[in-house]
Amino acid sequence: MDAILFGPDTQPTKRGSRRRGAKPHMWARWQRPPATNREIMLDRAVVAAICGLGALFATYDNAAPTGLDRVDGLWRAVGAVVVVLCAAFAPPIFALVSAVLAAASSAQVGLILVGAMCVVLAIIVVWRAPDWHSPSALVGLGVTVIIYRLPHDNFLGISTLVALGVIVPVVGAALYEGPVWLARMLSIGGAIVATATLVSLVVFGLVMWQARSDLQSVADLANEAEQHFREGNEDQAQATLNQAVDKLASVESSTSSRWMNFTRAIPVLGQHTIAVQTVTRSGASTATAAEAVLVDLDRDALSITNGAVNLDAVRVMEPSVGALAAASASATADIEGLSTSWLLPPVADGLDRVANDIATLTTASRRADDAVRLAPTMLGGVGTRNHLVLFATPAELRGSVGLIGNWALVQANDGQLQLTGVGRASTLEPQLEALEVSLTEPARYVEKYGVSNIETSFYDITLSPDFPDVASVAAQLFEAATGTSVDTVMLVDPAGIAALLAITGPVTVGDVEVTETNARDLLLISQYILFDTNEERLVFLESLLTQTFTRLLTTDFPDPWDLDEVFAQVVNEDRIMISSTVPEEQTLLADLGVGGAFADGYSVGDDLLAVVGQNQGQNKIDSWLAQTTTYDVELDPFTGQMAGTINLSLANEVPDALLPDAVVGSNDQGLPRATNRLSVTVYSPHQLLSSSVDGVEAGFQIGQEFGVNTFNRVIDIPSGDTVTIELEVAGELSLGSQYHLVVP
């Protein structure tokens, strides 16, 4: 049996090599007598057992040279057996060299100890037992443990190159200095692997050469289909996308052929094959799902016509949009699950681009799926829905845009929108005072702003910079004052009104024409100059809002896919915000970017900077407030310790004080005319070290809100002056892979 497995010790060796023990040892007095046959058999049996241990250990490693679990396990087991055998039967000095290299490559304490033990054992073998194979096999096992515990997350993992450097001495020595049977086994195995790899490379190259032009055609057709769709030609878009789907199916078929599947078992090449197959399969399934959406899509039926939405046209799309969301999510999961550490840079970069595109599609299709499911309910498809619209003016700043001037109530019933009421915020206050309303929710809002008698000051409910909290308070107070329950609250400022006028066209109130271009200036400034009395101004505002929303709810909207051009800027600037009392609907609104939540996307460990102003002068002067903020951060990327300097410049650029008192007065507060009195709150997760105003040390009131620190001070800014605030902060961040700053 010994001769069959390993060959007898007297078997001829390769030319130029010497059998272990053939030459008398230099320390002859320590040499033991020649091993008996029983000892030799025991030694070889131990070697075999150690090989088995190495193979077993290798199966629990996570190195993935092909990306196929079972195949990778086999490759790892074979690799471990080869290293152990080579260490066992190569001259022991080479096992010592590999042990030293392995110990030097170790980064973990445990691996360093294993490497040190291997070195010691290898020295003992060289010194005392050069004719025994099992101790050297143990050295090989230790080397295997180390190289399989190196990280595998870099290209070819730099650790893979290190591992090759560690085992090359012992494998090379076994090939040229070891027994003939081992050299023959290594040579035959290497030849088989080399031949299989060469054949696989040829197959992979031919298939990819053929698929390359088809993939480019798919990309061109997809872009062409998108262009047709944006131009309103759904039929042409569908036909073009169908061509792309057919070509992609052809590519998927060729990349999934039997010969290509064979290449999956080849290290390194296998990961490339699996990546290509996954991308083409995911692309084909996603494109097919997108094609089904186009089949169900009735663009004209989805348009808002005469203030109504065809809910049946929305419901028809629910299955196909849901299927697209599921297909794209599955594609994203499949691509993210790929093992990429062995991919060549061009392939890895291309995969990253595809992954980003699919992830973008996944997000968009998920939002579309949510919108298609929830829109019928939000638009009164299962019962009347009431939408409260608040009109705020940033001329008098509050945490959420500004002071509330007017409100409107829009009712949705089976997709039909109707304006049912318009009024001033102040008209709700007598009812609220009479009812003695007491707010308890949201708790953080009540705790922070409840002292401002907010229950009877509807126009001031926007004190919080978190619009969902504001919307909750607005819904409660409006229902208490009017008896009408509210499902959704929308906030619009003058820039938002201008965007709405882009849809309705100009509105004429008396002899004043309000257009998309002059609405913002008119609502922020000119209204206070045009009208002699406050009563005339309030009548003008109510009439403007009534006409604007009446026309808005009785007109035909632009194509739904063109609405982003109308509303993108005002939504990004929080000029229009929407909040729902239904959590699932609120999640959708947040995903669409109109939710208005403070510090959306912030989590503990990130950095955050927000500056919120609240008008304290009871005037409309904030239209001329110019703010510049800089944030200088010194960061230790290893510890996460940071030190930051916040510089805030506030300039009062109000023109000559010929403006009316309602704009530049101070309502008997005794301030010089055109003075801007502003309560400034800076939000930061860090500790405040020092603070100054115009270079002079000044105290700030420190508090907490939304889980971060707040630094507050009231600042007076005379007309034409600039006030500079400087805050020094320090703290600690959880960096992860990058520095993340959230700016609400």
Side-chain angles (χ1 to χ4, degrees):
M1 180 63 70
D2 179 60
I4 293 174
L5 290 176
F6 300 105
D9 236 12
T10 57
Q11 177 180 339
T13 59
K14 296 186 68 177
R15 183 167 26 182
S17 67
R18 296 189 298 273
R19 178 174 57 83
R20 284 192 181 185
K23 181 179 179 181
H25 200 278
M26 60 183 297
W27 293 288
R29 59 179 179 168
W30 286 335
Q31 279 191 315
R32 61 187 305 282
T36 64
N37 287 338
R38 182 176 180 181
E39 290 175 331
I40 292 173
M41 288 291 290
L42 179 61
D43 183 47
R44 305 288 172 84
V46 173
V47 170
I50 294 173
C51 287
L53 284 175
L56 181 62
F57 168 79
T59 60
Y60 291 98
D61 189 61
N62 62 353
T66 69
L68 299 174
D69 290 341
R70 293 183 179 179
V71 175
D72 288 333
L74 179 61
W75 278 113
R76 293 193 300 266
V78 169
V81 170
V82 167
V83 172
V84 171
L85 281 178
C86 289
F89 291 97
I93 188 65
F94 291 98
L96 174 60
V97 172
S98 288
V100 171
L101 294 175
S105 67
S106 305
Q108 302 175 24
V109 174
L111 295 182
I112 293 173
L113 292 176
V114 172
M117 288 188 291
C118 287
V119 171
V120 171
L121 182 58
I123 291 174
I124 293 174
V125 172
V126 171
W127 180 27
R128 297 293 303 272
D131 53 345
W132 284 84
H133 303 292
S134 51
S136 294
L138 280 175
V139 174
L141 178 62
V143 169
T144 301
V145 169
I146 292 173
I147 63 176
Y148 276 151
R149 281 293 176 262
L150 296 176
H152 309 302
D153 55 355
N154 299 317
F155 163 60
L156 289 182
I158 203 87
S159 54
T160 305
L161 300 178
V162 172
L164 290 175
V166 169
I167 66 174
V168 160
V170 72
V171 174
L175 185 62
Y176 290 101
E177 297 288 338
V180 171
W181 65 267
L182 181 57
R184 187 176 299 150
M185 183 184 74
L186 293 175
S187 299
I188 294 173
I192 293 173
V193 172
T195 302
T197 301
L198 180 60
V199 172
S200 298
L201 282 171
V202 171
V203 171
F204 183 85
L206 290 175
V207 172
M208 292 311 299
W209 180 264
Q210 178 185 358
R212 184 183 178 201
S213 60
D214 287 340
L215 288 172
Q216 185 58 52
S217 297
V218 168
D220 294 340
L221 287 169
N223 290 332
E224 184 180 343
E226 181 182 359
Q227 186 63 32
H228 286 313
F229 180 79
R230 288 191 174 277
E231 292 172 356
N233 192 341
E234 289 85 2
D235 292 338
Q236 189 62 42
Q238 184 179 339
T240 305
L241 186 58
N242 182 258
Q243 296 178 47
V245 170
D246 290 342
K247 279 191 173 293
L248 202 51
S250 175
V251 173
E252 182 187 11
S253 177
S254 63
T255 57
S256 301
S257 65
R258 184 176 302 174
W259 281 101
M260 278 292 282
N261 286 335
F262 172 77
T263 67
R264 292 164 55 133
I266 305 301
V268 182
L269 181 60
Q271 282 200 7
H272 290 76
T273 300
I274 293 174
V276 169
Q277 291 177 336
T278 300
V279 167
T280 53
R281 182 179 65 252
S282 300
S285 63
T286 304
T288 302
E291 185 182 18
V293 172
L294 283 183
V295 172
D296 291 342
L297 175 66
D298 186 339
R299 193 175 190 132
D300 293 333
L302 287 175
S303 297
I304 301 176
T305 304
N306 196 27
V309 179
N310 186 338
L311 298 184
D312 289 336
V314 176
R315 294 186 181 103
V316 164
M317 295 193 62
E318 186 172 340
S320 58
V321 173
L324 176 59
S328 57
S330 177
T332 296
D334 289 344
I335 292 174
E336 289 179 349
L338 288 172
S339 181
T340 60
S341 59
W342 296 61
L343 295 181
L344 294 171
V347 178
D349 293 342
L351 185 63
D352 285 342
R353 288 193 296 271
V354 172
N356 289 335
D357 290 342
I358 293 292
T360 300
L361 175 61
T362 299
T363 300
S365 59
R366 175 179 55 79
R367 290 173 179 170
D369 183 36
D370 290 341
V372 168
R373 287 189 303 102
L374 298 175
T377 301
M378 298 177 73
L379 295 173
V382 291
T384 301
R385 293 293 293 266
N386 293 316
H387 307 293
L388 177 64
V389 185
L390 306 176
F391 300 97
T393 174
E396 187 169 343
L397 283 175
R398 294 292 184 267
S400 288
V401 179
L403 186 80
I404 299 297
N406 290 72
W407 58 265
L409 189 65
V410 176
Q411 196 172 80
N413 195 349
D414 199 24
Q416 180 68 55
L417 303 176
Q418 182 180 5
L419 181 67
T420 59
V422 174
R424 292 286 298 172
S426 57
T427 61
L428 301 176
E429 293 172 6
Q431 293 94 320
L432 295 174
E433 290 179 359
L435 293 170
E436 297 183 356
V437 177
S438 178
L439 287 173
T440 58
E441 295 290 338
R444 63 185 180 186
Y445 182 101
V446 174
E447 179 182 357
K448 181 77 173 181
Y449 306 104
V451 295
S452 303
N453 296 320
I454 209 69
E455 292 91 344
T456 57
S457 304
F458 193 83
Y459 57 84
D460 252 348
I461 59 175
T462 48
L463 287 172
S464 171
D466 185 84
F467 183 65
D469 283 357
V470 170
S472 175
V473 172
Q476 293 177 68
L477 296 183
F478 189 84
E479 182 175 358
T482 65
T484 302
S485 63
V486 173
D487 303 293
T488 305
V489 179
M490 174 188 294
L491 184 142
V492 183
D493 85 340
I497 296 293
L500 297 179
L501 289 170
I503 297 175
T504 65
V507 171
T508 301
V509 182
D511 57 355
V512 179
E513 184 181 53
V514 186
T515 68
E516 173 188 0
T517 55
N518 72 0
R520 186 174 183 277
D521 174 75
L522 177 63
L523 293 174
L524 287 175
I525 301 170
S526 300
Q527 62 164 307
Y528 301 101
I529 301 173
L530 288 174
F531 301 100
D532 295 329
T533 66
N534 192 50
E535 288 72 19
E536 291 177 329
R537 184 177 63 82
L538 298 181
V539 170
F540 166 80
L541 289 175
E542 187 165 330
S543 178
L544 170 62
L545 296 176
T546 301
Q547 287 193 49
T548 300
F549 267 77
T550 299
R551 184 176 297 183
L552 184 71
L553 300 180
T554 55
T555 191
D556 295 345
F557 273 53
D559 187 292
W561 283 266
D562 293 333
L563 287 177
D564 60 338
E565 298 179 6
V566 177
F567 291 111
Q569 182 173 351
V570 292
V571 167
N572 288 337
E573 295 177 355
D574 285 344
R575 306 295 187 180
I576 293 179
M577 295 184 286
I578 309 174
S579 180
S580 172
T581 57
V582 180
E584 191 177 15
E585 294 175 1
Q586 181 58 30
T587 299
L588 170 62
L589 295 170
D591 282 346
L592 295 175
V594 295
F598 181 83
D600 192 22
Y602 171 78
S603 59
V604 176
D606 293 338
D607 202 358
L608 176 141
L609 176 63
V611 179
V612 173
Q614 308 269 9
N615 182 292
Q616 299 288 295
Q618 300 180 25
N619 51 29
K620 304 296 184 291
I621 203 171
D622 296 324
S623 300
W624 293 280
L625 177 66
Q627 172 187 326
T628 303
T629 305
T630 62
Y631 186 31
D632 296 320
V633 177
E634 293 183 3
L635 181 65
D636 186 330
F638 298 103
T639 65
Q641 295 293 325
M642 66 79 63
T645 301
I646 303 167
N647 278 289
L648 177 62
S649 174
L650 299 169
N652 182 358
E653 298 177 349
V654 66
D656 185 86
L658 293 176
L659 293 164
D661 287 344
V663 178
V664 296
S666 61
N667 287 302
D668 299 326
Q669 293 191 73
L671 298 175
R673 189 175 174 80
T675 297
N676 189 318
R677 171 166 286 181
L678 194 69
S679 173
V680 179
T681 302
V682 177
Y683 291 77
S684 170
H686 308 303
Q687 300 299 315
L688 182 62
L689 301 182
S690 65
S691 55
S692 65
V693 177
D694 289 336
V696 179
E697 183 177 347
F700 276 69
Q701 183 178 0
I702 298 175
Q704 273 207 336
E705 192 176 10
F706 310 114
V708 298
N709 293 322
T710 60
F711 316 127
N712 173 264
R713 184 180 175 88
V714 175
I715 305 292
D716 286 342
I717 315 171
S719 174
D721 280 7
T722 298
V723 171
T724 301
I725 298 172
E726 181 174 287
L727 305 176
E728 298 283 350
V729 296
E732 183 175 345
L733 304 173
S734 299
L735 295 181
S737 61
Q738 62 182 352
Y739 170 78
H740 185 208
L741 173 65
V742 176
V743 183

